[in-house]
Amino acid sequence: MTADRSVEGAATLDTKLSGLLGGPTAKAMERAWGLVTVGDLLGHYPRRYQPRGELTALDRLPRDENVTIVAEVLEVRERTMRSRRGSILEAKISDGRGVLTLTFFNQAWRARELKPGVRGMFAGKVSDYRGALQLAHPDYELFEDETRTDTGPDAAALRWATAPIPIYPATATLSSWKLQRAVALVLDALGPVDDPLPESVRRARGLLAHREALELVHRPERDADWKAAQRTLRFTEAFVLQSVLLERRAAARAHEAVRRTPAPGGLLERFEASLPFELTDDQLEVGVQIHADLAEPVPMNRLVQGEVGSGKTVVALRAMLAVAESGGQAALLAPTEVLAAQHLRSIVDMLGPELAAEVMPTLITGQLPAADRRRAALRVAAGQARIVVGTHALLGDTTSFADLGLVVVDEQHRFGVEQREALRLKGRHPHVLVLTATPIPRTVAMTVFGDLDVSTIRQLPAGRAGITTHVVPLAERPHWRPRVWERLAEELEQGRQAFVVSPAIEPKVAEDGLEPADPEGDAAPAASVASVLAELRAHPRLAEVRIAPLHGRMSADEKDATMRAFAAGELDVLVATTVIEVGVDVPNASTMVVVDADRFGVSQLHQLRGRVGRGSVPGLCLLVTRVEAETVARERLDAVAGTLDGFELARVDLELRQEGDVLGAIQSGRRTSLKLLRVTRHGDVIADAREAAAEVLRDDPDLAAHPALAAAVRRRLDDDSSEYLSRG
Ligand code: ADP
Ligand code: MG
């Protein structure tokens, strides 16, 4: 059942914690972090290691947070309370930099252990009592062994004095050292552990045996111990993950798919003959890769990443036509109603009336009137509609396909894996093409999309006039605000169009999870569509200008009508939220003003900017901010202004971003369950692990000869699927 050899009575990684630690502790661990087995607890690695000799900065304690500190007891006194019966024991502790008071009610006996000069670790929630910091009823552990100096520096005492203290992610009830004690208990009970890494893989990299790595990551004697342990466990994590992804890839390829090979004189050829522009070299090359995939009897599983405006739609359309030609259907899933509607329009335009009549491009969105939607669903179910475009509504039970041969997911970062899966399951092993304008560094792609093949379009179609970007720093130059609108007016007077984007719809209504107002409440609220609209309408130079709002609270009809009017040149300015972020294509739009630009992410700003400069008109992008200079927020804006290279921006974004956000931001819906591995920093580990895993799987696809690895893969899959379920 398990790959770990069972020594008589000894625990394995699959042993339940409840049998070892006692019910309440095990329950608390399960509640806090979902730790159920010995392997789970041993995978709850210390967050950091604290040198025992070094004291924590007491002068920088965060209020109202659970802290763990190392300090020395200065003085202890007991006093009786005036207001009610009982006594308070107060102990002052210090780290040499600050002083903190510990308070205990009716626990005078603690004075026997909290003697002046004694050092230990203290944990609790920091509170502010009459201007002084205190911990009420802290949990603590004293370094008793330290007082044994008179016995001479024996080995145990030395070890105690120098060993780094592991600091675990803790909760109010499960303090760091409670975890430390539980881990020690479990490690003592643990029998031999088989290595998930094949011997040769481990040897070649000078990594520790798995059992030893677990021991040293939790009970290091010196810093070198936990460092070596982390290196081993990090590689192991990458190796197991890559094995999972490569197995998944192999499993997907084990199914039979319908070959889709275009014929001479067929739909695809006729389409290409009528295309008004030349495809770029990158578009052609990615096309070759896609069409080679489609000609195989195994399902394609390909990610196409390409800059905003690089022309991914036409690449996808060619694939859709190759499928339509053989009578199959292709479905394009778009993240928003606006985008789905635009895709449908541009697909109809590109196809021309004759081809459009043959493949019957059909829109399915949630906001279609019921009758239209029923009619559309019928055409899709009957197989007449060979190109289907839609939003999430495509995933619902009411949409079924006659012969779904290709699934295209546009702007993948807006969807989770399960949505891709839901659509895929509407066909019999259809080919899958995923499009993203979020450039993904190679190693991230390897981790997040490790089961996909990746193609890249770097080139933009010729004839683009380029975009100039400026940061407008209102903190230093408040008088530039009116000049932003002047500049906008100049552009409009040349017959061009513009977008003005703000983070909120109304002062208190955010679009898309952005903060509408400063949480502290001491800054002015974020600009909103409503406030910007009012400002523009009041501006003397914009009196004649046709301005309309566009945001997520409008009905699909209103949004679509507004987009159409803008695309047709009947509107000059759209004041919008990020609903226009992805894919909107209006070549005459020259100017993008982003108000309170610091509220947006780097890649979001890059996407927004990509809405202008798409035709022969040069683009202008103004990033307006009230944030002070020399802040991370400003650094991000400067980075966007500094380059048009999306790949470079993705790199900067990763650097400036909090580690944990990375995977989540790239693919919502798949939570990162990485522990020691960081896609930003450990690219080389990931690449190395992928190669090693590929080699092992090449010789042993079912891992029959690698039972410990197979078990680790299974554990990882269990984790993933429980996350999947718990997300609901
Ligand atoms: P994205 O990759 O951002 O989805 P689109 O597919 O929307 O980009 O294409 C952007 C614009 O470029 C569209 O108007 C499209 O018709 C046009 N386009 C695509 N490929 C070419 C090309 N090879 N030459 C000229 N224009 C192109
Ligand atoms: Mg697009």
Side-chain angles (χ1 to χ4, degrees):
M1 186 201 102
T2 154
D4 309 315
R5 267 169 284 139
S6 265
V7 166
E8 195 77 48
T12 73
L13 293 181
D14 292 321
T15 302
K16 295 265 189 292
L17 290 172
S18 49
L20 288 172
L21 301 176
T25 311
K27 268 220 185 68
M29 288 186 176
E30 179 167 8
R31 217 175 311 120
W33 303 287
L35 309 178
V36 176
T37 63
V38 165
D40 292 342
L41 177 57
L42 294 181
H44 190 71
Y45 303 130
R47 188 152 29 105
R48 61 194 170 84
Y49 299 84
Q50 178 139 6
R52 196 174 288 267
E54 186 185 292
L55 297 171
T56 327
L58 260 185
D59 53 347
R60 286 205 211 125
L61 284 179
R63 304 264 139 124
D64 295 323
E65 273 181 37
N66 285 303
V67 295
T68 305
I69 50 179
V70 175
E72 180 178 321
V73 178
L74 293 181
E75 58 170 61
V76 184
R77 58 191 190 104
E78 192 195 341
R79 53 187 176 87
T80 47
M81 281 186 285
R82 258 172 268 140
S83 49
R84 49 187 168 125
R85 281 168 49 139
S87 70
I88 300 181
L89 185 76
E90 284 183 344
K92 286 202 171 11
I93 59 168
S94 172
D95 62 353
R97 281 193 255 185
V99 176
L100 183 68
T101 306
L102 315 179
T103 53
F104 301 92
F105 296 99
N106 292 330
Q107 296 186 354
W109 57 270
R110 289 192 188 273
R112 287 200 295 275
E113 32 181 71
L114 292 169
K115 293 196 208 94
V118 165
R119 295 195 325 139
M121 291 203 288
F122 303 86
K125 198 175 208 170
V126 181
S127 57
D128 202 333
Y129 182 69
R130 293 190 185 155
L133 294 182
Q134 68 162 23
L135 294 181
H137 285 252
D139 206 353
Y140 59 86
E141 182 172 81
L142 303 173
F143 301 161
E144 286 161 48
D145 312 43
E146 279 189 336
T147 55
R148 280 194 304 169
T149 41
D150 50 329
T151 63
D154 64 58
L158 252 182
R159 184 193 151 181
W160 180 248
T162 57
I165 307 167
I167 306 292
Y168 290 90
T171 66
T173 46
L174 286 168
S175 64
S176 180
W177 55 87
K178 273 199 190 130
L179 281 157
Q180 194 182 344
R181 263 186 241 132
V183 165
L185 220 145
V186 160
L187 278 173
D188 289 342
L190 182 65
V193 175
D194 284 341
D195 239 289
L197 297 183
E199 186 70 12
S200 59
V201 170
R202 189 166 75 75
R203 281 272 164 75
R205 289 162 185 80
L207 300 173
L208 304 173
H210 196 58
R211 176 79 171 77
E212 193 185 2
L214 290 174
E215 178 72 36
L216 293 183
V217 84
H218 292 292
R219 290 197 286 206
E221 289 187 12
R222 54 188 80 83
D223 286 342
D225 290 345
W226 62 259
K227 285 180 184 161
Q230 283 194 343
R231 195 166 86 83
T232 295
L233 295 169
R234 182 178 298 129
F235 180 86
T236 307
E237 192 176 336
F239 185 80
V240 171
L241 180 60
Q242 289 304 328
S243 302
V244 168
L245 293 169
L246 290 168
E247 277 203 326
R248 194 178 290 165
R249 181 171 189 277
R253 294 176 65 85
H255 295 291
E256 199 172 324
V258 181
R259 292 172 190 265
R260 307 286 182 176
T261 347
L267 286 175
L268 184 60
E269 206 166 88
R270 284 161 56 205
F271 170 71
E272 279 163 4
S274 70
L275 206 59
F277 47 73
E278 295 272 298
L279 294 172
T280 64
D281 289 348
D282 282 0
Q283 284 173 321
L284 284 170
E285 165 153 8
V286 171
V288 168
Q289 292 164 349
I290 290 172
H291 292 281
D293 286 353
L294 291 175
E296 293 284 321
V298 294
M300 167 169 76
N301 224 348
R302 186 169 287 279
L303 172 77
V304 173
Q305 53 172 337
E307 277 288 349
V308 181
S310 61
K312 294 182 290 295
T313 316
V314 67
V315 169
L317 182 54
R318 290 175 70 217
M320 293 166 98
L321 287 170
V323 171
E325 203 178 294
S326 56
Q329 293 170 293
L332 192 165
L333 178 64
T336 63
E337 303 255 340
V338 169
L339 199 56
Q342 180 189 288
H343 270 313
L344 188 83
R345 270 200 306 279
S346 67
I347 285 174
V348 169
D349 284 352
M350 279 197 267
L351 288 174
E354 206 175 297
L355 286 176
E358 282 177 59
V359 299
M360 223 184 255
T362 298
L363 184 67
I364 294 202
T365 73
Q367 298 193 18
L368 282 183
D372 291 359
R373 177 146 172 206
R374 248 189 327 271
R375 213 171 308 123
L378 273 177
R379 281 214 299 261
V380 176
Q384 288 166 297
R386 281 186 274 167
I387 290 185
V388 184
V389 178
T391 55
H392 289 83
L394 281 182
L395 310 176
D397 290 340
T398 49
T399 312
S400 63
F401 293 81
D403 176 15
L404 182 60
L406 171 66
V407 167
V408 181
V409 182
D410 191 26
E411 308 298 352
Q412 163 76 18
H413 64 290
R414 294 294 190 93
F415 295 102
V417 182
E418 57 271 34
Q419 284 152 328
R420 185 169 96 207
E421 280 306 284
L423 188 50
R424 208 177 59 81
L425 290 174
K426 292 188 180 262
R428 288 196 55 245
H429 310 300
H431 298 285
V432 176
L433 187 62
V434 169
L435 310 179
T436 180
T438 311
I440 302 164
R442 199 173 68 96
T443 53
V444 178
M446 252 183 224
T447 311
V448 189
F449 302 112
D451 50 345
L452 304 182
D453 297 309
V454 179
S455 303
T456 304
I457 305 181
R458 285 178 176 274
Q459 227 170 3
L460 296 183
R464 296 281 160 87
I467 308 172
T468 316
T469 310
H470 297 289
V471 176
V472 182
L474 295 180
E476 296 107 278
R477 309 194 189 283
H479 57 285
W480 281 10
R481 189 176 187 106
R483 281 172 52 183
V484 170
W485 305 133
E486 297 281 322
R487 189 70 187 80
L488 176 71
E490 281 167 26
E491 286 290 322
L492 298 176
E493 282 157 15
Q494 297 180 49
R496 293 168 191 167
Q497 291 164 282
F499 299 98
V500 181
V501 172
S502 59
I505 300 174
E506 284 161 31
K508 284 210 162 73
V509 182
E511 183 87 56
D512 260 18
L514 291 160
E515 288 287 316
D518 191 278
E520 307 282 81
D522 54 0
S528 65
V529 169
S531 66
V532 170
L533 209 54
E535 202 176 332
L536 294 188
R537 285 190 171 140
H539 197 286
R541 250 182 103 173
L542 300 172
E544 304 287 294
V545 166
R546 296 161 300 176
I547 309 176
L550 181 72
H551 56 73
R553 279 189 149 189
M554 293 162 53
S555 75
D557 282 349
E558 284 176 295
K559 278 188 288 191
D560 195 46
T562 305
M563 259 334 285
R564 270 174 202 274
F566 187 71
E570 292 155 15
L571 286 170
D572 304 305
V573 181
L574 281 187
V575 179
T577 54
T578 46
V579 291
I580 60 135
E581 177 193 343
V582 277
V584 171
D585 189 32
V586 179
N588 188 46
S590 71
T591 307
M592 167 66 62
V593 180
V594 186
V595 189
D596 285 335
D598 46 277
R599 308 263 173 157
F600 300 88
V602 167
S603 62
Q604 219 173 4
L605 291 171
H606 181 59
Q607 299 258 343
L608 285 171
R609 169 170 62 184
R611 302 301 112 225
V612 298
R614 290 171 80 90
S616 51
V617 182
L620 172 71
C621 174
L622 301 177
L623 305 175
V624 183
T625 179
R626 291 175 285 180
V627 162
E628 308 278 331
E630 281 165 41
T631 55
V632 173
R634 279 285 292 277
E635 229 179 291
R636 286 164 50 232
L637 297 183
D638 290 341
V640 175
T643 179
L644 287 171
D645 181 342
F647 284 88
E648 171 60 14
L649 280 177
R651 198 189 56 71
V652 173
D653 195 18
L654 285 181
E655 243 164 53
L656 296 177
R657 215 182 248 283
Q658 295 280 310
E659 285 278 356
D661 299 348
V662 172
L663 295 185
I666 284 167
Q667 187 175 41
S668 63
R670 185 185 282 186
R671 232 180 54 196
T672 159
S673 44
L674 298 182
K675 289 174 181 164
L676 292 171
L677 199 62
R678 292 290 172 267
V679 288
T680 46
R681 255 187 280 152
H682 304 128
D684 47 348
V685 178
I686 294 169
D688 181 25
R690 184 171 179 91
E691 222 164 275
E695 201 169 307
V696 170
L697 284 164
R698 201 153 39 230
D699 297 339
D700 183 16
D702 306 326
L703 297 178
H706 296 87
L709 176 57
V713 164
R714 212 162 39 239
R715 268 186 223 115
R716 173 90 214 186
L717 285 174
D718 286 350
D719 284 358
D720 284 358
S721 62
S722 59
E723 268 169 29
Y724 179 92
L725 291 176
S726 67
R727 264 200 314 273

